[in-house]
Amino acid sequence: MELLQNQRGLKGTLHVPADKSISHRSIMFGALADGTTTIKNFLRAEDCLSTLHAFEKLGVLIEDDGETLTVHGKGKKGLTATTEAINVGNSGTTIRLMMGILAGQPFETTLYGDASLNKRPMNRVMVPLRQMGAELSGANDTEFPPITIRGTDELQPIHYEMPVASAQVKSAILFAALQTKGTSTIIEKEPSRNHTEEMIRQFGGQIDVEGKKITLTGPQTLTGQTVVVPGDISSAAFFLVAGAIVPDSEIILSNVGVNPTRTGILEVMEAMGADIETLSSDPVNQAADLKIKHSTLKATTISGAIIPRLIDELPIIALLATQAQGTTIIKDAEELKVKETNRIDATAEELRKMGAKIEATEDGLIIHGPTPLHGAEVSSRGDHRIGMMLQVAALIADGRCKLDNPEAVAISYPHFFADIENLIEGAGING
Ligand code: S3P
């Protein structure tokens, strides 16, 4: 498709879509809790619908009145077996967290996904879950999906030092640990998003977190709750960057989730000189209204403990860096290679087609700026975040851009192109 262009200013207010990580978990916790869970502002995007359908296949009744979802909890032992393999599409969060849940259910389940998911590493989850007593196997003795999980009633607690900083791995172990008898400890490599820990507490469970050490004693009984999902900062990120790089822009993003384990992008943008103002904040729901305006930008270095706090934002931050004065260095981000695509290569190669000065390294990217971008034929490579990043890049490109496989954005943000268009119209300019 031809991408939207607008070199003169994005204006307006945007309600960013609901948080993907919290939406997945709201179904999972709702399914495992006693009683009903009401979910308001659930993200109706492909990934979260994969989680919803997977739990329906495991016997969970989920009602949707078009606004609110009601999950009729089955309690900790109530999921029912299905002989049919469950397709979880493109969703790494669905497959990895479900592996932890199914490790404690005494039946066999097979999970698989699309061509991208079936190439993503699963040993990181299988290794600790096997230590806990579940049997897991990948396709043809590999670590790749389809993954068959033979769960057990006799799951054992674990002491586990995580070799990767990954909220998905941590969450899978926590879901399993909730179903054991005894105390499990997890040592994180670096703190990663803590939505699972927060929702264990929200659903009436107990968990202790001291720095990188997490302690949980099972078995625990969870109770259904009302979950109000805030906006996703990872979706807001595309507009934060668009507002910063398109001249004359002024965008208000309302109800953005600002859980501190997710706000690395705000710190990086501030260090680069972006003009971001917090208009109001709601500390109870960890949400804020943010205003972003165009500004001049300077390069920065992004590495170490901040990486897990902005891992999904790195492709769009790389685009931002193409417009900053100086050399931006992103390192310690080798996890980007095993996302929906190899996001180090995809970001460097696609942005280079538009004239960016960007090099891939073993664990990140080096970006020289500021560099004007030009039109090109680019591809999302089936990765939603690469597709959205390229649309934002096209806004400032001189000349037309064509995007291959734009449908990928529906994984996390079905109305993405329409929202960009509205901001262009907000400026009275139709690209
Ligand atoms: C997620 C964790 C991150 C992130 C993904 C969502 C989650 O993955 O990239 O989009 O909801 O737990 P990793 O755990 O592989 O870093």
Side-chain angles (χ1 to χ4, degrees):
M1 88 177 222
E2 187 139 318
L3 288 173
L4 297 156
Q5 274 193 302
N6 177 68
Q7 298 177 12
R8 282 189 287 163
L10 300 169
K11 296 234 157 68
T13 298
L14 192 82
H15 300 272
V16 291
D19 190 276
K20 182 158 83 71
S21 293
I22 298 174
S23 294
H24 282 298
R25 287 161 172 80
S26 63
I27 300 269
M28 294 174 182
F29 278 101
L32 297 177
D34 289 335
T36 56
T37 287
T38 307
I39 311 172
K40 295 185 199 285
N41 196 32
F42 178 77
L43 177 65
R44 285 178 178 75
E46 283 176 21
D47 261 14
C48 299
L49 294 173
S50 289
T51 294
L52 191 158
H53 294 137
F55 279 86
E56 284 180 334
K57 294 231 163 79
L58 294 168
V60 181
L61 173 63
I62 303 171
E63 291 170 306
D64 184 356
D65 70 5
E67 196 144 314
T68 304
L69 291 189
T70 306
V71 183
H72 295 268
K74 291 287 218 163
K76 53 179 181 261
K77 288 285 165 220
L79 299 180
T80 50
T82 170
T83 48
E84 221 184 293
I86 301 176
N87 183 355
V88 299
N90 191 245
S91 181
T93 307
T94 309
I95 196 166
R96 294 198 176 117
L97 273 56
M98 284 187 76
M99 284 160 72
I101 291 169
L102 292 167
Q105 305 286 317
F107 51 80
E108 191 175 288
T109 313
T110 298
L111 305 174
Y112 71 101
D114 65 9
S116 155
L117 188 70
N118 290 348
K119 282 192 256 162
R120 296 183 65 189
M122 297 297 151
N123 262 346
R124 51 184 59 204
V125 185
M126 292 205 274
V127 167
L129 295 178
R130 281 188 192 126
Q131 269 181 44
M132 296 174 86
E135 284 174 40
L136 297 104
S137 58
N140 307 315
D141 283 333
T142 66
E143 63 167 314
F144 303 111
I147 302 286
T148 298
I149 305 117
R150 174 167 278 283
T152 170
D153 275 332
E154 312 273 296
L155 216 53
Q156 299 300 311
I158 190 170
H159 174 82
Y160 196 66
E161 272 188 46
M162 291 183 39
V164 283
S166 161
Q168 292 178 356
V169 176
K170 169 177 68 176
S171 301
I173 301 171
L174 286 172
F175 273 121
L178 282 169
Q179 305 176 74
T180 64
K181 207 165 157 195
T183 300
S184 292
T185 45
I186 303 171
I187 316 290
E188 287 202 84
K189 191 173 172 207
E190 294 291 356
S192 60
R193 66 191 68 196
N194 65 358
H195 305 301
T196 303
E197 296 90 307
E198 292 202 330
M199 290 176 86
I200 287 173
R201 293 200 186 100
Q202 183 185 0
F203 279 75
Q206 277 193 348
I207 182 164
D208 287 322
V209 182
E210 269 180 70
K212 294 179 187 171
K213 184 175 169 204
I214 303 168
T215 312
L216 183 146
T217 302
Q220 295 197 18
T221 302
L222 304 170
T223 313
Q225 300 294 321
T226 296
V227 178
V228 184
V229 184
D232 197 326
I233 192 165
S234 298
S235 298
F238 298 98
F239 297 95
L240 289 170
V241 170
I245 64 177
V246 177
D248 295 332
S249 292
E250 184 170 323
I251 306 172
I252 294 174
L253 299 167
S254 70
N255 190 33
V256 181
V258 286
N259 172 317
T261 61
R262 299 283 300 280
T263 49
I265 185 169
L266 299 179
E267 288 155 42
V268 163
M269 288 187 73
E270 269 151 35
M272 293 176 79
D275 183 350
I276 303 176
E277 192 187 334
T278 301
L279 298 179
S280 61
S281 64
D282 167 0
V284 176
N285 294 310
Q286 292 190 326
D289 291 350
L290 305 176
K291 180 157 90 178
I292 175 85
K293 284 200 223 162
H294 173 259
S295 63
T296 54
L297 299 160
K298 56 179 187 289
T300 189
T301 294
I302 308 166
S303 64
I306 200 169
I307 294 290
R309 297 177 52 236
L310 47 62
I311 188 75
D312 290 340
E313 288 68 79
L314 286 169
I316 192 71
I317 289 173
L319 169 65
L320 181 71
T322 68
Q323 302 310 305
Q325 178 70 47
T327 300
T328 293
I329 298 171
I330 299 171
K331 52 188 184 191
D332 304 323
E334 55 280 341
E335 274 298 297
L336 285 182
K337 292 184 188 166
V338 290
K339 296 295 178 188
E340 287 83 330
T341 50
N342 178 334
R343 286 185 177 159
I344 293 182
D345 288 351
T347 301
E349 290 166 15
E350 297 301 327
L351 282 177
R352 266 206 303 268
K353 291 182 191 166
M354 299 179 70
K357 295 198 179 106
I358 176 167
E359 296 147 44
T361 65
E362 258 318 291
D363 65 347
L365 292 157
I366 299 176
I367 308 119
H368 307 281
T371 311
L373 300 184
H374 56 70
E377 291 198 8
V378 290
S379 174
S380 72
R381 305 185 179 201
D383 184 326
H384 52 131
R385 298 198 200 281
I386 299 296
M388 291 188 276
M389 180 273 286
L390 291 167
Q391 166 59 87
V392 177
L395 291 175
I396 56 163
D398 188 7
R400 296 280 172 186
C401 286
K402 265 194 174 161
L403 180 69
D404 185 41
N405 201 347
E407 306 78 35
V409 307
I411 291 295
S412 63
Y413 200 155
H415 305 297
F416 177 72
F417 295 111
D419 282 354
I420 292 269
E421 213 165 355
N422 285 337
L423 292 174
I424 292 173
E425 282 163 8
I429 302 159
N430 199 338

